[in-house]
Amino acid sequence: MPFSGEIHERVANAPAVPRGLPLVLLLTGFTDAGNAVSGLIEHLRETTSPEPIAVFDNDVLLDYRARRPVISFDQDHLTEFRPARLELSLATDALGQKFLLLAGYEPDFAWNEFARTVLELADEFEVSGLNWVHSIAMPVPHTRPIGTTVSGNRRELTVAHSVWRPRTQVPATAGHLLEFRFAEHGDRVVGFVLLVPHYLAETENPEAVIAAAEKLMAATGLVILLDEVQERRQDYLTRVDEQVLGNDELQQMVQGLERRYDAYMAGRDPEDGSYDEGGFNERDLPSADELAAELERYLASRPSSDEDKPGRG
């Protein structure tokens, strides 16, 4: 049955949107290793002055019982209710360049209607293309740059940035559906999958946020200020290294990951798809639980609230 309701509302007195802007998509949901997406959403909301154009309806798209919103309790009364947000906004980068930012939670329901609505908005504003990023956990060492798998129809980005090209089937996200629909529509699309160290996947990893921002900058030409995130990155990596250096077993595990990573990178050919089945094989690698247990007391702290991930502690 066709969807008959409205899933979004246009904002009154929204700013005029120039035609031909890039569309940046950031959705939290099925996987967000290292909090790369949620961290970048928070950073962009703080640094790019996003002005909402369209707000999507939580009552239509969100499963509240699966991802509960946050409410504040002060001794004997409730003080603030913070619902999740999914908005299309007009944002401004560090050089004054405008772009469209579709950011927030991944819809639980009405994916086809969501994709149709986003395509209609993209047509209305004549966007130059869809650019999105998400992150997954992989058995790779934190001592090496975060790699990416790249999808879409922009071959120059695939060749330059894709370090792993698997042939596989994976659970789809709403971002995948949007990429697929935009490509069918004939638009330029690129999707970056960050390959985040599996033993740090449940931590707030500033390096993952930086990697996500850098990939989007490479795809769009935007400039995102990252000074504050860079400062947090240095502190984060220092704490991780201190814990690893203080434990012989952890050192051996990380060194094993480094050997596999370096051997894989040395043998791959970016123009040749023959390396897709090799490389990052999870069999006979140290488990995430083994590493995470050792790092937990340093890295388990998370913010008390996260509006983009309601219900997560």
Side-chain angles (χ1 to χ4, degrees):
M1 178 182 294
F3 186 85
S4 59
E6 287 293 332
I7 68 169
H8 78 297
E9 181 178 354
R10 298 295 284 267
V11 175
N13 301 317
V17 178
R19 276 19 183 192
L21 300 181
L23 173 59
V24 171
L25 173 70
L26 295 171
L27 298 178
T28 64
F30 176 65
T31 176
D32 186 15
N35 283 9
V37 176
S38 55
L40 185 55
I41 289 174
E42 180 180 357
H43 183 72
L44 292 180
R45 284 177 174 170
E46 292 176 351
T47 61
T48 64
S49 304
E51 301 174 86
I53 298 166
V55 178
F56 288 84
D57 190 344
N58 292 353
D59 284 355
V60 176
L61 297 179
L62 183 64
D63 182 351
Y64 287 104
R65 293 200 299 176
R67 295 189 286 180
R68 296 181 183 271
V70 174
I71 196 162
S72 298
F73 185 85
D74 185 1
Q75 299 185 56
D76 59 1
H77 64 285
L78 302 174
T79 59
E80 183 183 8
F81 176 73
R82 295 193 297 278
R85 296 161 59 189
L86 176 57
E87 299 173 345
L88 177 67
S89 302
L90 180 64
T92 308
D93 78 350
L95 298 183
Q97 301 177 100
K98 302 292 186 181
F99 66 100
L100 288 170
L101 174 64
L102 177 53
Y105 61 86
E106 177 190 39
D108 293 306
F109 307 115
W111 277 19
N112 287 319
E113 181 64 15
F114 175 65
R116 185 189 67 78
T117 299
V118 175
L119 272 169
E120 287 181 352
L121 291 167
D123 279 345
E124 176 184 348
F125 300 129
E126 301 175 10
V127 302
S128 62
L130 175 69
N131 313 269
W132 74 294
V133 63
H134 68 294
S135 57
I136 62 174
M138 289 292 287
V140 293
H142 72 279
T143 53
R144 300 295 185 266
I146 291 177
T148 52
T149 290
V150 186
S151 59
N153 53 22
R154 298 181 60 182
R155 179 163 175 76
E156 76 281 7
L157 294 173
T158 302
V159 171
H161 296 274
S162 194
V163 301
W164 185 51
R165 301 179 190 175
R167 292 188 177 96
T168 186
Q169 293 182 329
V170 297
T173 70
H176 289 121
L177 179 59
L178 282 173
E179 178 183 323
F180 188 74
R181 295 295 186 221
F182 269 73
E184 281 186 328
H185 192 253
D187 295 306
R188 297 204 316 164
V189 295
V190 61
F192 297 97
V193 186
L194 303 181
L195 311 177
V196 176
H198 62 325
Y199 52 95
L200 301 178
E202 293 301 316
T203 70
E204 295 195 5
N205 186 343
E207 188 155 34
V209 176
I210 292 170
E214 288 177 343
K215 297 308 176 185
L216 289 175
M217 287 191 283
T220 61
L222 297 170
V223 177
I224 301 170
L225 292 179
L226 295 167
D227 294 351
E228 185 269 336
V229 188
Q230 292 280 9
E231 291 177 5
R232 290 193 285 113
R233 169 187 177 273
Q234 188 55 53
D235 178 66
Y236 175 87
L237 292 177
T238 297
R239 290 186 291 130
V240 172
D241 288 339
E242 286 175 353
Q243 188 69 354
V244 170
L245 291 173
N247 185 296
D248 290 341
E249 184 178 358
L250 274 176
Q251 288 187 59
Q252 293 173 7
M253 289 180 179
V254 173
Q255 288 167 3
L257 290 173
E258 289 173 338
R259 287 193 295 271
R260 291 176 175 88
Y261 178 95
D262 292 344
Y264 173 74
M265 295 299 290
R268 76 180 189 91
D269 178 358
E271 297 286 354
D272 181 5
S274 65
Y275 65 87
D276 354 5
E277 301 302 327
F280 304 133
N281 191 335
E282 293 196 31
R283 291 175 296 181
D284 72 334
L285 289 172
S287 73
D289 288 342
E290 289 176 305
L291 288 168
E294 294 293 340
L295 293 162
E296 183 175 3
R297 76 169 187 258
Y298 277 79
L299 303 171
S301 60
R302 301 173 71 93
S304 57
S305 64
D306 182 350
E307 65 182 357
D308 297 309
K309 289 189 174 183
R312 288 197 63 176

